Amino acid sequence: SMRLLILPNDIDLSKVGKWIITNTAVYQIAEASGVAYVLHHGDGEITESNRRVNEWLIHHMDETPLHKLCYDSSVTSTKINIYLNENSADAALAIDTTHGMTPLHMLSMNPNAPADAIGALFDVNIEAAFRVDDQGKTAIDYAREYNVGGMIAMMNVLCNHRSAEHENISRRKRRRMI
């Protein structure tokens, strides 16, 4: 089977080997969490350092399971809906303490997330699309960068929401006239 590695967009490609990850956002987040790569010592220390960092990468989102689900490469709208039904739609409002992101931010960054999954989560929490994370970006910004189909799905939900609001306003005006 083929595995896809999604690299941070702030990697300096002029650096090669063990230095390539240095100064990326994920590197800085790991360091702030007390986990860092050892780059200069013996092989045993480097191997242990890699193990610790990899373990952190795998588990650093365990406390925010919807966020973790949203960045899973096999996420679907069905999986998101099942999670929300079992855990409450309020889970869509959660903000992770590491990045200041909502689940919609994570889902929008996932290039494998289908547009209907992004649309479904967005429909649950439209305000999340405009919430700025710790990098100063919205879910729409990330979708534009990583998942254009997801951005189109968000725009579609916004248009449907706006049309529904206009319809409600029109009904209220007609009732007042009667």
Side-chain angles (χ1 to χ4, degrees), residues 106-166:
M106 292 299 209
L107 192 60
S108 298
M109 289 176 69
N110 184 343
N112 301 304
D116 67 323
I118 293 174
L121 186 58
F122 180 56
D123 201 25
V124 171
N125 181 13
I126 290 178
E127 293 80 27
F130 305 106
R131 187 188 188 293
V132 178
D133 69 1
D134 292 349
Q135 298 291 317
K137 292 187 177 185
T138 65
I140 293 172
D141 293 328
Y142 286 119
R144 186 184 69 238
E145 195 171 331
Y146 296 104
N147 193 320
V148 175
M151 184 181 74
I152 292 168
M154 284 192 264
M155 295 303 122
N156 190 31
V157 169
L158 278 174
C159 290
N160 290 339
H161 182 72
R162 187 166 188 236
S163 294
E165 280 188 11
H166 282 297

Side-chain angles (χ1 to χ4, degrees), residues 166-178:
H166 282 297
E167 183 63 32
N168 289 337
I169 291 169
S170 296
R171 273 189 233 141
R172 280 186 254 145
K173 284 181 181 179
R174 284 192 297 259
R175 282 188 215 138
R176 282 189 221 141
M177 297 173 116
I178 297 177

Side-chain angles (χ1 to χ4, degrees), residues 4 9 17 21 35 37 64 68 71 94 98 109 120 122 139 149-151 162-163 166 172 176:
L4 178 65
N9 63 349
I21 194 93
V35 179
Y37 283 105
T64 53
K68 195 169 187 173
Y71 208 74
T98 307
M109 289 176 69
F122 180 56
M151 184 181 74
R162 187 166 188 236
S163 294
H166 282 297
R172 280 186 254 145
R176 282 189 221 141

Side-chain angles (χ1 to χ4, degrees), residues 1 29 32 37 48-49 64 66 74 82 112-113 115 133 143-144 161:
S1 74
I29 291 167
Y37 283 105
E48 177 60 19
S49 166
T64 53
L66 182 56
S74 63
I82 289 170
N112 301 304
D133 69 1
R144 186 184 69 238
H161 182 72

